[in-house]
Amino acid sequence: QTVVTQEPSFSVSPGGTVTLTCGLSSDSVSTGHYPSWYQQTPGQAPRTLIYSTDVRSFGVPDRFSGSFLGNKAALTITGAQADDESDYYCVVYMSSGIWVFGGGTKLTVV
Amino acid sequence: EVQLVQSGAEVKEPGATVKISCKVSGYTFTDYYVHWVQQAPGKGLEWMGLVDPEDGKTIYTENFQGRVTISADTSTDTAYMELGSLRSEDTAVYYCVTAYPDIVGSLQLWGQGTLVTVSS
């Protein structure tokens, strides 16, 4: 069974830059996996940040960007702010038609 | 404005079935997939499956295969997720998510979530 890997936790200083990654246990992430990224704060529904690798959803500030880093999808946050402290999830599309979420990364801004 | 409005919280006994609705507005319902996602308390997101409202075709993840039924009613622009043989581990918030406006079908706009509590 496909496992999507994310760093369990990460910390960044206010104003700093952080890159979170999203990998596959047995493959490289590619454009055909249409990787997407979501931000979730406690008690709230997730919010879509990035889809199809690097397309920013409507209203998402350009501090958030998507790309590839090696064989993984990546979400980069530049100029980190206090309210970026959230859980971040990626999801990838598999050729069988299913979508698989990563376990999420808890980002702390300190 | 695109909106996904889900039905209210449910409390069910083990072994029962729950059916959650997701009323969609603001775009053509049949043009985009609707996904369903589970989030257990303190846990991550788990994709359950999707429906193509245009033809009713569904895809489910193996983890829920056989227990979940996702459907769409084009007369009311409403998607449904029915989960049977409930057990305590199914206590979770369930989200519907539309693929609008992504033609690839990725998860885009989220409903507010529906809490299902399974308890005797």
PDB file of all heavy atoms in Angstrom, chain B residues 77-113:
ATOM      1  N   ASP B  77     -28.605  18.767  -6.154  1.00  0.00           N
ATOM      2  CA  ASP B  77     -27.199  19.172  -6.044  1.00  0.00           C
ATOM      3  C   ASP B  77     -26.615  18.795  -4.680  1.00  0.00           C
ATOM      4  O   ASP B  77     -25.963  19.608  -4.008  1.00  0.00           O
ATOM      5  CB  ASP B  77     -27.026  20.673  -6.291  1.00  0.00           C
ATOM      6  CG  ASP B  77     -27.259  21.059  -7.741  1.00  0.00           C
ATOM      7  OD1 ASP B  77     -27.434  20.151  -8.581  1.00  0.00           O
ATOM      8  OD2 ASP B  77     -27.272  22.266  -8.045  1.00  0.00           O
ATOM      9  N   THR B  78     -26.868  17.569  -4.294  1.00  0.00           N
ATOM     10  CA  THR B  78     -26.425  17.107  -2.980  1.00  0.00           C
ATOM     11  C   THR B  78     -25.654  15.803  -3.123  1.00  0.00           C
ATOM     12  O   THR B  78     -26.090  14.890  -3.820  1.00  0.00           O
ATOM     13  CB  THR B  78     -27.623  16.891  -2.040  1.00  0.00           C
ATOM     14  OG1 THR B  78     -28.354  18.123  -1.928  1.00  0.00           O
ATOM     15  CG2 THR B  78     -27.173  16.442  -0.664  1.00  0.00           C
ATOM     16  N   ALA B  79     -24.514  15.743  -2.452  1.00  0.00           N
ATOM     17  CA  ALA B  79     -23.736  14.513  -2.372  1.00  0.00           C
ATOM     18  C   ALA B  79     -23.968  13.874  -1.011  1.00  0.00           C
ATOM     19  O   ALA B  79     -24.273  14.570  -0.026  1.00  0.00           O
ATOM     20  CB  ALA B  79     -22.257  14.800  -2.578  1.00  0.00           C
ATOM     21  N   TYR B  80     -23.833  12.552  -0.969  1.00  0.00           N
ATOM     22  CA  TYR B  80     -24.069  11.811   0.277  1.00  0.00           C
ATOM     23  C   TYR B  80     -22.917  10.846   0.523  1.00  0.00           C
ATOM     24  O   TYR B  80     -22.309  10.315  -0.409  1.00  0.00           O
ATOM     25  CB  TYR B  80     -25.365  10.999   0.183  1.00  0.00           C
ATOM     26  CG  TYR B  80     -26.606  11.831   0.043  1.00  0.00           C
ATOM     27  CD1 TYR B  80     -27.103  12.146  -1.221  1.00  0.00           C
ATOM     28  CD2 TYR B  80     -27.275  12.313   1.161  1.00  0.00           C
ATOM     29  CE1 TYR B  80     -28.239  12.926  -1.361  1.00  0.00           C
ATOM     30  CE2 TYR B  80     -28.419  13.088   1.031  1.00  0.00           C
ATOM     31  CZ  TYR B  80     -28.888  13.383  -0.235  1.00  0.00           C
ATOM     32  OH  TYR B  80     -30.020  14.149  -0.376  1.00  0.00           O
ATOM     33  N   MET B  81     -22.651  10.605   1.807  1.00  0.00           N
ATOM     34  CA  MET B  81     -21.697   9.585   2.210  1.00  0.00           C
ATOM     35  C   MET B  81     -22.367   8.753   3.294  1.00  0.00           C
ATOM     36  O   MET B  81     -22.773   9.280   4.329  1.00  0.00           O
ATOM     37  CB  MET B  81     -20.406  10.222   2.732  1.00  0.00           C
ATOM     38  CG  MET B  81     -19.263   9.243   2.994  1.00  0.00           C
ATOM     39  SD  MET B  81     -19.412   8.268   4.503  1.00  0.00           S
ATOM     40  CE  MET B  81     -19.188   9.567   5.733  1.00  0.00           C
ATOM     41  N   GLU B  82     -22.481   7.462   3.016  1.00  0.00           N
ATOM     42  CA  GLU B  82     -23.094   6.532   3.953  1.00  0.00           C
ATOM     43  C   GLU B  82     -22.027   5.550   4.416  1.00  0.00           C
ATOM     44  O   GLU B  82     -21.344   4.927   3.600  1.00  0.00           O
ATOM     45  CB  GLU B  82     -24.236   5.790   3.259  1.00  0.00           C
ATOM     46  CG  GLU B  82     -25.067   4.914   4.163  1.00  0.00           C
ATOM     47  CD  GLU B  82     -26.283   4.343   3.432  1.00  0.00           C
ATOM     48  OE1 GLU B  82     -26.135   3.970   2.254  1.00  0.00           O
ATOM     49  OE2 GLU B  82     -27.358   4.278   4.036  1.00  0.00           O
ATOM     50  N   LEU B  83     -21.862   5.430   5.733  1.00  0.00           N
ATOM     51  CA  LEU B  83     -20.860   4.536   6.299  1.00  0.00           C
ATOM     52  C   LEU B  83     -21.560   3.563   7.229  1.00  0.00           C
ATOM     53  O   LEU B  83     -22.279   3.982   8.157  1.00  0.00           O
ATOM     54  CB  LEU B  83     -19.790   5.327   7.057  1.00  0.00           C
ATOM     55  CG  LEU B  83     -18.604   4.540   7.625  1.00  0.00           C
ATOM     56  CD1 LEU B  83     -17.804   3.866   6.504  1.00  0.00           C
ATOM     57  CD2 LEU B  83     -17.693   5.467   8.432  1.00  0.00           C
ATOM     58  N   GLY B  84     -21.393   2.279   6.969  1.00  0.00           N
ATOM     59  CA  GLY B  84     -22.078   1.259   7.735  1.00  0.00           C
ATOM     60  C   GLY B  84     -21.161   0.496   8.671  1.00  0.00           C
ATOM     61  O   GLY B  84     -19.947   0.715   8.724  1.00  0.00           O
ATOM     62  N   SER B  85     -21.784  -0.413   9.437  1.00  0.00           N
ATOM     63  CA  SER B  85     -21.051  -1.240  10.406  1.00  0.00           C
ATOM     64  C   SER B  85     -20.135  -0.381  11.269  1.00  0.00           C
ATOM     65  O   SER B  85     -18.949  -0.677  11.452  1.00  0.00           O
ATOM     66  CB  SER B  85     -20.242  -2.323   9.687  1.00  0.00           C
ATOM     67  OG  SER B  85     -21.079  -3.128   8.887  1.00  0.00           O
ATOM     68  N   LEU B  86     -20.708   0.700  11.792  1.00  0.00           N
ATOM     69  CA  LEU B  86     -19.900   1.672  12.523  1.00  0.00           C
ATOM     70  C   LEU B  86     -19.251   1.053  13.751  1.00  0.00           C
ATOM     71  O   LEU B  86     -19.828   0.203  14.447  1.00  0.00           O
ATOM     72  CB  LEU B  86     -20.767   2.860  12.945  1.00  0.00           C
ATOM     73  CG  LEU B  86     -21.216   3.789  11.813  1.00  0.00           C
ATOM     74  CD1 LEU B  86     -22.260   4.770  12.316  1.00  0.00           C
ATOM     75  CD2 LEU B  86     -20.032   4.529  11.219  1.00  0.00           C
ATOM     76  N   ARG B  87     -18.005   1.483  13.974  1.00  0.00           N
ATOM     77  CA  ARG B  87     -17.283   1.085  15.172  1.00  0.00           C
ATOM     78  C   ARG B  87     -16.703   2.335  15.819  1.00  0.00           C
ATOM     79  O   ARG B  87     -16.697   3.406  15.215  1.00  0.00           O
ATOM     80  CB  ARG B  87     -16.193   0.077  14.839  1.00  0.00           C
ATOM     81  CG  ARG B  87     -15.484   0.331  13.537  1.00  0.00           C
ATOM     82  CD  ARG B  87     -15.136  -0.990  12.877  1.00  0.00           C
ATOM     83  NE  ARG B  87     -14.218  -0.806  11.752  1.00  0.00           N
ATOM     84  CZ  ARG B  87     -14.218  -1.575  10.687  1.00  0.00           C
ATOM     85  NH1 ARG B  87     -15.093  -2.573  10.574  1.00  0.00           N
ATOM     86  NH2 ARG B  87     -13.354  -1.373   9.713  1.00  0.00           N
ATOM     87  N   SER B  88     -16.188   2.188  17.024  1.00  0.00           N
ATOM     88  CA  SER B  88     -15.721   3.371  17.770  1.00  0.00           C
ATOM     89  C   SER B  88     -14.649   4.135  16.990  1.00  0.00           C
ATOM     90  O   SER B  88     -14.560   5.363  17.084  1.00  0.00           O
ATOM     91  CB  SER B  88     -15.193   2.947  19.132  1.00  0.00           C
ATOM     92  OG  SER B  88     -14.138   2.012  19.000  1.00  0.00           O
ATOM     93  N   GLU B  89     -13.847   3.409  16.216  1.00  0.00           N
ATOM     94  CA  GLU B  89     -12.774   4.062  15.451  1.00  0.00           C
ATOM     95  C   GLU B  89     -13.312   4.968  14.338  1.00  0.00           C
ATOM     96  O   GLU B  89     -12.543   5.735  13.739  1.00  0.00           O
ATOM     97  CB  GLU B  89     -11.848   3.030  14.807  1.00  0.00           C
ATOM     98  CG  GLU B  89     -11.323   1.940  15.736  1.00  0.00           C
ATOM     99  CD  GLU B  89     -12.244   0.741  15.779  1.00  0.00           C
ATOM    100  OE1 GLU B  89     -12.075  -0.159  14.927  1.00  0.00           O
ATOM    101  OE2 GLU B  89     -13.122   0.713  16.677  1.00  0.00           O
ATOM    102  N   ASP B  90     -14.588   4.859  14.040  1.00  0.00           N
ATOM    103  CA  ASP B  90     -15.187   5.722  13.017  1.00  0.00           C
ATOM    104  C   ASP B  90     -15.616   7.070  13.590  1.00  0.00           C
ATOM    105  O   ASP B  90     -16.078   7.942  12.832  1.00  0.00           O
ATOM    106  CB  ASP B  90     -16.402   5.037  12.382  1.00  0.00           C
ATOM    107  CG  ASP B  90     -16.034   3.775  11.619  1.00  0.00           C
ATOM    108  OD1 ASP B  90     -14.975   3.790  10.940  1.00  0.00           O
ATOM    109  OD2 ASP B  90     -16.777   2.788  11.714  1.00  0.00           O
ATOM    110  N   THR B  91     -15.475   7.247  14.892  1.00  0.00           N
ATOM    111  CA  THR B  91     -15.728   8.556  15.489  1.00  0.00           C
ATOM    112  C   THR B  91     -14.754   9.555  14.881  1.00  0.00           C
ATOM    113  O   THR B  91     -13.532   9.397  15.003  1.00  0.00           O
ATOM    114  CB  THR B  91     -15.564   8.505  17.014  1.00  0.00           C
ATOM    115  OG1 THR B  91     -16.582   7.677  17.570  1.00  0.00           O
ATOM    116  CG2 THR B  91     -15.637   9.901  17.618  1.00  0.00           C
ATOM    117  N   ALA B  92     -15.303  10.546  14.188  1.00  0.00           N
ATOM    118  CA  ALA B  92     -14.455  11.441  13.402  1.00  0.00           C
ATOM    119  C   ALA B  92     -15.291  12.583  12.852  1.00  0.00           C
ATOM    120  O   ALA B  92     -16.530  12.565  12.905  1.00  0.00           O
ATOM    121  CB  ALA B  92     -13.829  10.676  12.230  1.00  0.00           C
ATOM    122  N   VAL B  93     -14.595  13.575  12.325  1.00  0.00           N
ATOM    123  CA  VAL B  93     -15.228  14.593  11.492  1.00  0.00           C
ATOM    124  C   VAL B  93     -15.090  14.152  10.046  1.00  0.00           C
ATOM    125  O   VAL B  93     -14.006  13.722   9.627  1.00  0.00           O
ATOM    126  CB  VAL B  93     -14.572  15.969  11.695  1.00  0.00           C
ATOM    127  CG1 VAL B  93     -15.176  16.991  10.732  1.00  0.00           C
ATOM    128  CG2 VAL B  93     -14.747  16.432  13.139  1.00  0.00           C
ATOM    129  N   TYR B  94     -16.184  14.240   9.321  1.00  0.00           N
ATOM    130  CA  TYR B  94     -16.208  13.878   7.912  1.00  0.00           C
ATOM    131  C   TYR B  94     -16.437  15.136   7.078  1.00  0.00           C
ATOM    132  O   TYR B  94     -17.352  15.919   7.352  1.00  0.00           O
ATOM    133  CB  TYR B  94     -17.298  12.837   7.652  1.00  0.00           C
ATOM    134  CG  TYR B  94     -16.993  11.527   8.336  1.00  0.00           C
ATOM    135  CD1 TYR B  94     -17.318  11.324   9.670  1.00  0.00           C
ATOM    136  CD2 TYR B  94     -16.342  10.506   7.653  1.00  0.00           C
ATOM    137  CE1 TYR B  94     -17.015  10.135  10.318  1.00  0.00           C
ATOM    138  CE2 TYR B  94     -16.028   9.309   8.288  1.00  0.00           C
ATOM    139  CZ  TYR B  94     -16.367   9.133   9.617  1.00  0.00           C
ATOM    140  OH  TYR B  94     -16.048   7.955  10.252  1.00  0.00           O
ATOM    141  N   TYR B  95     -15.576  15.314   6.088  1.00  0.00           N
ATOM    142  CA  TYR B  95     -15.648  16.482   5.212  1.00  0.00           C
ATOM    143  C   TYR B  95     -16.024  16.072   3.794  1.00  0.00           C
ATOM    144  O   TYR B  95     -15.484  15.078   3.276  1.00  0.00           O
ATOM    145  CB  TYR B  95     -14.300  17.195   5.133  1.00  0.00           C
ATOM    146  CG  TYR B  95     -13.799  17.807   6.401  1.00  0.00           C
ATOM    147  CD1 TYR B  95     -12.843  17.170   7.187  1.00  0.00           C
ATOM    148  CD2 TYR B  95     -14.248  19.066   6.821  1.00  0.00           C
ATOM    149  CE1 TYR B  95     -12.359  17.751   8.340  1.00  0.00           C
ATOM    150  CE2 TYR B  95     -13.759  19.654   7.986  1.00  0.00           C
ATOM    151  CZ  TYR B  95     -12.825  18.986   8.738  1.00  0.00           C
ATOM    152  OH  TYR B  95     -12.340  19.572   9.890  1.00  0.00           O
ATOM    153  N   CYS B  96     -16.898  16.841   3.179  1.00  0.00           N
ATOM    154  CA  CYS B  96     -17.043  16.742   1.726  1.00  0.00           C
ATOM    155  C   CYS B  96     -16.180  17.845   1.117  1.00  0.00           C
ATOM    156  O   CYS B  96     -16.000  18.906   1.727  1.00  0.00           O
ATOM    157  CB  CYS B  96     -18.487  16.845   1.275  1.00  0.00           C
ATOM    158  SG  CYS B  96     -19.320  18.413   1.629  1.00  0.00           S
ATOM    159  N   VAL B  97     -15.651  17.560  -0.054  1.00  0.00           N
ATOM    160  CA  VAL B  97     -14.722  18.477  -0.700  1.00  0.00           C
ATOM    161  C   VAL B  97     -14.995  18.451  -2.197  1.00  0.00           C
ATOM    162  O   VAL B  97     -14.948  17.384  -2.814  1.00  0.00           O
ATOM    163  CB  VAL B  97     -13.250  18.067  -0.460  1.00  0.00           C
ATOM    164  CG1 VAL B  97     -12.317  19.204  -0.857  1.00  0.00           C
ATOM    165  CG2 VAL B  97     -13.010  17.624   0.970  1.00  0.00           C
ATOM    166  N   THR B  98     -15.242  19.605  -2.780  1.00  0.00           N
ATOM    167  CA  THR B  98     -15.450  19.645  -4.223  1.00  0.00           C
ATOM    168  C   THR B  98     -14.138  19.852  -4.960  1.00  0.00           C
ATOM    169  O   THR B  98     -13.201  20.453  -4.414  1.00  0.00           O
ATOM    170  CB  THR B  98     -16.437  20.758  -4.620  1.00  0.00           C
ATOM    171  OG1 THR B  98     -16.546  20.785  -6.049  1.00  0.00           O
ATOM    172  CG2 THR B  98     -15.970  22.120  -4.149  1.00  0.00           C
ATOM    173  N   ALA B  99     -14.104  19.361  -6.177  1.00  0.00           N
ATOM    174  CA  ALA B  99     -12.934  19.590  -7.010  1.00  0.00           C
ATOM    175  C   ALA B  99     -13.006  20.935  -7.733  1.00  0.00           C
ATOM    176  O   ALA B  99     -12.044  21.344  -8.367  1.00  0.00           O
ATOM    177  CB  ALA B  99     -12.785  18.474  -8.040  1.00  0.00           C
ATOM    178  N   TYR B 100     -14.136  21.618  -7.662  1.00  0.00           N
ATOM    179  CA  TYR B 100     -14.260  22.928  -8.296  1.00  0.00           C
ATOM    180  C   TYR B 100     -13.210  23.875  -7.769  1.00  0.00           C
ATOM    181  O   TYR B 100     -13.041  23.989  -6.551  1.00  0.00           O
ATOM    182  CB  TYR B 100     -15.644  23.519  -8.026  1.00  0.00           C
ATOM    183  CG  TYR B 100     -15.819  24.934  -8.530  1.00  0.00           C
ATOM    184  CD1 TYR B 100     -16.259  25.189  -9.822  1.00  0.00           C
ATOM    185  CD2 TYR B 100     -15.502  26.029  -7.711  1.00  0.00           C
ATOM    186  CE1 TYR B 100     -16.401  26.481 -10.275  1.00  0.00           C
ATOM    187  CE2 TYR B 100     -15.642  27.324  -8.164  1.00  0.00           C
ATOM    188  CZ  TYR B 100     -16.090  27.544  -9.447  1.00  0.00           C
ATOM    189  OH  TYR B 100     -16.219  28.835  -9.897  1.00  0.00           O
ATOM    190  N   PRO B 101     -12.457  24.577  -8.622  1.00  0.00           N
ATOM    191  CA  PRO B 101     -12.581  24.691 -10.077  1.00  0.00           C
ATOM    192  C   PRO B 101     -11.549  23.878 -10.860  1.00  0.00           C
ATOM    193  O   PRO B 101     -11.284  24.173 -12.026  1.00  0.00           O
ATOM    194  CB  PRO B 101     -12.328  26.179 -10.291  1.00  0.00           C
ATOM    195  CG  PRO B 101     -11.260  26.484  -9.277  1.00  0.00           C
ATOM    196  CD  PRO B 101     -11.546  25.600  -8.091  1.00  0.00           C
ATOM    197  N   ASP B 102     -10.970  22.856 -10.237  1.00  0.00           N
ATOM    198  CA  ASP B 102      -9.882  22.113 -10.876  1.00  0.00           C
ATOM    199  C   ASP B 102     -10.416  20.971 -11.743  1.00  0.00           C
ATOM    200  O   ASP B 102     -10.971  20.001 -11.225  1.00  0.00           O
ATOM    201  CB  ASP B 102      -8.949  21.553  -9.804  1.00  0.00           C
ATOM    202  CG  ASP B 102      -7.771  20.816 -10.396  1.00  0.00           C
ATOM    203  OD1 ASP B 102      -7.437  21.086 -11.566  1.00  0.00           O
ATOM    204  OD2 ASP B 102      -7.203  19.963  -9.693  1.00  0.00           O
ATOM    205  N   ILE B 103     -10.202  21.054 -13.034  1.00  0.00           N
ATOM    206  CA  ILE B 103     -10.740  20.024 -13.923  1.00  0.00           C
ATOM    207  C   ILE B 103     -10.024  18.688 -13.749  1.00  0.00           C
ATOM    208  O   ILE B 103     -10.553  17.642 -14.133  1.00  0.00           O
ATOM    209  CB  ILE B 103     -10.667  20.460 -15.407  1.00  0.00           C
ATOM    210  CG1 ILE B 103      -9.230  20.776 -15.814  1.00  0.00           C
ATOM    211  CG2 ILE B 103     -11.588  21.640 -15.653  1.00  0.00           C
ATOM    212  CD1 ILE B 103      -9.072  21.005 -17.304  1.00  0.00           C
ATOM    213  N   VAL B 104      -8.837  18.721 -13.145  1.00  0.00           N
ATOM    214  CA  VAL B 104      -8.144  17.460 -12.875  1.00  0.00           C
ATOM    215  C   VAL B 104      -8.881  16.663 -11.818  1.00  0.00           C
ATOM    216  O   VAL B 104      -8.836  15.432 -11.803  1.00  0.00           O
ATOM    217  CB  VAL B 104      -6.694  17.746 -12.427  1.00  0.00           C
ATOM    218  CG1 VAL B 104      -6.039  16.520 -11.826  1.00  0.00           C
ATOM    219  CG2 VAL B 104      -5.885  18.266 -13.602  1.00  0.00           C
ATOM    220  N   GLY B 105      -9.556  17.379 -10.923  1.00  0.00           N
ATOM    221  CA  GLY B 105     -10.368  16.686  -9.929  1.00  0.00           C
ATOM    222  C   GLY B 105      -9.792  16.673  -8.527  1.00  0.00           C
ATOM    223  O   GLY B 105     -10.268  15.933  -7.673  1.00  0.00           O
ATOM    224  N   SER B 106      -8.789  17.515  -8.271  1.00  0.00           N
ATOM    225  CA  SER B 106      -8.194  17.521  -6.928  1.00  0.00           C
ATOM    226  C   SER B 106      -9.144  18.118  -5.899  1.00  0.00           C
ATOM    227  O   SER B 106     -10.144  18.747  -6.232  1.00  0.00           O
ATOM    228  CB  SER B 106      -6.879  18.298  -6.939  1.00  0.00           C
ATOM    229  OG  SER B 106      -7.124  19.669  -7.189  1.00  0.00           O
ATOM    230  N   LEU B 107      -8.827  17.935  -4.646  1.00  0.00           N
ATOM    231  CA  LEU B 107      -9.651  18.426  -3.548  1.00  0.00           C
ATOM    232  C   LEU B 107      -9.445  19.923  -3.398  1.00  0.00           C
ATOM    233  O   LEU B 107      -8.305  20.372  -3.192  1.00  0.00           O
ATOM    234  CB  LEU B 107      -9.276  17.716  -2.241  1.00  0.00           C
ATOM    235  CG  LEU B 107      -9.564  16.226  -2.193  1.00  0.00           C
ATOM    236  CD1 LEU B 107      -8.447  15.407  -2.802  1.00  0.00           C
ATOM    237  CD2 LEU B 107      -9.810  15.787  -0.754  1.00  0.00           C
ATOM    238  N   GLN B 108     -10.525  20.700  -3.502  1.00  0.00           N
ATOM    239  CA  GLN B 108     -10.394  22.148  -3.554  1.00  0.00           C
ATOM    240  C   GLN B 108     -11.131  22.854  -2.414  1.00  0.00           C
ATOM    241  O   GLN B 108     -10.506  23.341  -1.490  1.00  0.00           O
ATOM    242  CB  GLN B 108     -10.902  22.651  -4.904  1.00  0.00           C
ATOM    243  CG  GLN B 108     -10.029  22.265  -6.086  1.00  0.00           C
ATOM    244  CD  GLN B 108      -8.714  23.013  -6.084  1.00  0.00           C
ATOM    245  OE1 GLN B 108      -8.635  24.199  -5.777  1.00  0.00           O
ATOM    246  NE2 GLN B 108      -7.643  22.315  -6.416  1.00  0.00           N
ATOM    247  N   LEU B 109     -12.420  22.922  -2.484  1.00  0.00           N
ATOM    248  CA  LEU B 109     -13.215  23.675  -1.510  1.00  0.00           C
ATOM    249  C   LEU B 109     -13.899  22.713  -0.554  1.00  0.00           C
ATOM    250  O   LEU B 109     -14.582  21.787  -0.987  1.00  0.00           O
ATOM    251  CB  LEU B 109     -14.234  24.551  -2.238  1.00  0.00           C
ATOM    252  CG  LEU B 109     -13.608  25.571  -3.191  1.00  0.00           C
ATOM    253  CD1 LEU B 109     -14.685  26.301  -3.984  1.00  0.00           C
ATOM    254  CD2 LEU B 109     -12.759  26.570  -2.408  1.00  0.00           C
ATOM    255  N   TRP B 110     -13.738  22.974   0.741  1.00  0.00           N
ATOM    256  CA  TRP B 110     -14.154  22.052   1.781  1.00  0.00           C
ATOM    257  C   TRP B 110     -15.471  22.475   2.435  1.00  0.00           C
ATOM    258  O   TRP B 110     -15.709  23.660   2.661  1.00  0.00           O
ATOM    259  CB  TRP B 110     -13.069  21.976   2.853  1.00  0.00           C
ATOM    260  CG  TRP B 110     -11.771  21.432   2.356  1.00  0.00           C
ATOM    261  CD1 TRP B 110     -10.935  21.996   1.428  1.00  0.00           C
ATOM    262  CD2 TRP B 110     -11.149  20.202   2.746  1.00  0.00           C
ATOM    263  NE1 TRP B 110      -9.842  21.195   1.222  1.00  0.00           N
ATOM    264  CE2 TRP B 110      -9.937  20.088   2.016  1.00  0.00           C
ATOM    265  CE3 TRP B 110     -11.493  19.183   3.646  1.00  0.00           C
ATOM    266  CZ2 TRP B 110      -9.080  18.992   2.162  1.00  0.00           C
ATOM    267  CZ3 TRP B 110     -10.636  18.104   3.794  1.00  0.00           C
ATOM    268  CH2 TRP B 110      -9.443  18.018   3.055  1.00  0.00           C
ATOM    269  N   GLY B 111     -16.293  21.474   2.766  1.00  0.00           N
ATOM    270  CA  GLY B 111     -17.446  21.738   3.613  1.00  0.00           C
ATOM    271  C   GLY B 111     -16.991  21.999   5.042  1.00  0.00           C
ATOM    272  O   GLY B 111     -15.807  21.890   5.359  1.00  0.00           O
ATOM    273  N   GLN B 112     -17.959  22.317   5.898  1.00  0.00           N
ATOM    274  CA  GLN B 112     -17.615  22.684   7.273  1.00  0.00           C
ATOM    275  C   GLN B 112     -17.316  21.479   8.155  1.00  0.00           C
ATOM    276  O   GLN B 112     -16.794  21.633   9.260  1.00  0.00           O
ATOM    277  CB  GLN B 112     -18.741  23.529   7.902  1.00  0.00           C
ATOM    278  CG  GLN B 112     -19.895  22.757   8.507  1.00  0.00           C
ATOM    279  CD  GLN B 112     -20.979  22.366   7.522  1.00  0.00           C
ATOM    280  OE1 GLN B 112     -20.750  22.323   6.313  1.00  0.00           O
ATOM    281  NE2 GLN B 112     -22.172  22.083   8.048  1.00  0.00           N
ATOM    282  N   GLY B 113     -17.616  20.290   7.664  1.00  0.00           N
ATOM    283  CA  GLY B 113     -17.375  19.076   8.439  1.00  0.00           C
ATOM    284  C   GLY B 113     -18.593  18.652   9.234  1.00  0.00           C
ATOM    285  O   GLY B 113     -19.409  19.482   9.652  1.00  0.00           O
TER     286      GLY B 113
END
